[in-house]
Amino acid sequence: MNVIVIGANGQIGQHVVNELHQSNTHTVTAVVRKKEQAEKLMNRNIQAIVADLEGSVEDLEKVITGADAIIFIAGSGGHTGPDKTLLIDLDGAVKTMEAAKQAGVERYIMVSAYDADKRQNWNEGMRPYYVAKHYADRMLEASGLNYTIVRPGGLVNEPAICKITVGAEAKPSTITREDVAHTLIAALENKQTYHRSFNVVNGEHSIETALNNLN
């Protein structure tokens, strides 16, 4: 598959791009916000495009056209205010869904947040972020796209364990950013993940086994 990674310069995004670049199965196009980020990727022979999630759907459609799948990992970041969270994590995400529909790209994988679907479990200190994720997820579920929504637990920068727990069994815990990346890529062509939303943390099962046993 030709995979568009939106938010390719983020910590998870970098892991996803690196893994896809080394893949014998998939090709990758990295979508980033800044010219210098794109230049660094292109210096490594990775195709990269600069795009603005605050721009138009039509401009995003041009970026997405020709892809087989989208992995959306973009976010405004913890240093910005609720306004940017609304514009990037919610409206930016929805615009890429609209662009995907217009471009005929059906496969769409979203990185969300643990329990974003359960208001009663939201972290009060990050409420605008959870609101954005909650409604972006709902828009994706209603979009008609072939979606997968991955809701990771607390993110840590440690080496991949390559073992996860998903769904109802995924109790509040952490997961390495690299394992999130592995999970996103494993989900690309795993039909068991199609039209599914699930929490994921590091756990007891291989990524392939965990995804195959989603219920």
Side-chain angles (χ1 to χ4, degrees):
M1 301 178 82
N2 177 21
V3 184
I4 295 275
V5 179
I6 301 174
N9 195 61
Q11 294 183 74
I12 296 173
Q14 290 180 45
H15 285 300
V16 172
V17 169
N18 290 339
E19 186 172 341
L20 287 172
H21 181 56
Q22 296 166 13
S23 169
N24 295 320
T25 306
H26 306 297
T27 58
V28 62
T29 300
V31 178
V32 294
R33 291 181 298 168
K34 299 178 181 178
K35 181 180 178 182
E36 53 267 32
Q37 295 168 348
E39 289 173 347
K40 285 182 181 179
L41 288 161
M42 289 188 285
N43 287 338
R44 296 172 50 208
N45 295 317
I46 297 172
Q47 185 171 343
I49 299 174
V50 177
D52 183 4
L53 290 176
E54 295 184 54
S56 69
V57 173
E58 289 70 29
D59 286 343
L60 291 169
E61 181 186 356
K62 293 173 186 175
V63 170
I64 290 166
T65 295
D68 299 305
I70 295 165
I71 298 178
F72 186 93
I73 324 173
S76 60
H79 59 283
T80 61
D83 56 339
K84 282 293 183 183
T85 301
L86 183 68
L87 292 171
I88 301 298
D89 297 67
L90 178 51
D91 193 46
V94 173
K95 283 191 285 192
T96 65
M97 299 170 205
E98 294 171 359
K101 292 282 286 187
Q102 292 176 193
V105 181
E106 293 187 2
R107 188 75 178 109
Y108 192 112
I109 299 179
M110 169 76 80
V111 176
S112 184
Y114 187 94
D115 273 358
D117 56 327
K118 299 178 178 66
R119 288 188 182 94
Q120 66 273 20
N121 293 345
W122 292 353
N123 181 325
E124 285 298 319
M126 300 174 63
R127 197 165 186 81
Y129 171 77
Y130 277 92
V131 168
K133 288 298 185 185
H134 177 84
Y135 285 101
D137 291 357
R138 287 177 63 169
M139 290 294 289
L140 181 54
E141 289 169 340
S143 68
L145 296 168
N146 179 6
Y147 70 86
T148 299
I149 299 171
V150 179
R151 298 184 171 121
L155 298 169
V156 294
N157 286 323
E158 296 176 4
I161 299 167
C162 296
K163 289 185 179 294
I164 60 172
T165 298
V166 298
E169 296 179 5
K171 305 305 179 187
S173 186
T174 59
I175 183 169
T176 74
R177 287 179 168 86
E178 192 172 2
D179 281 318
V180 175
H182 292 332
T183 301
L184 298 173
I185 293 168
L188 275 169
E189 296 184 285
N190 187 319
K191 294 181 179 180
Q192 195 65 16
T193 71
Y194 291 2
H195 303 284
R196 301 295 291 274
S197 307
F198 54 89
N199 290 333
V200 57
V201 296
N202 278 129
E204 302 298 322
H205 310 290
S206 71
I207 293 171
E208 182 180 5
T209 296
L211 295 183
N212 286 341
N213 290 335
L214 269 170
N215 51 41

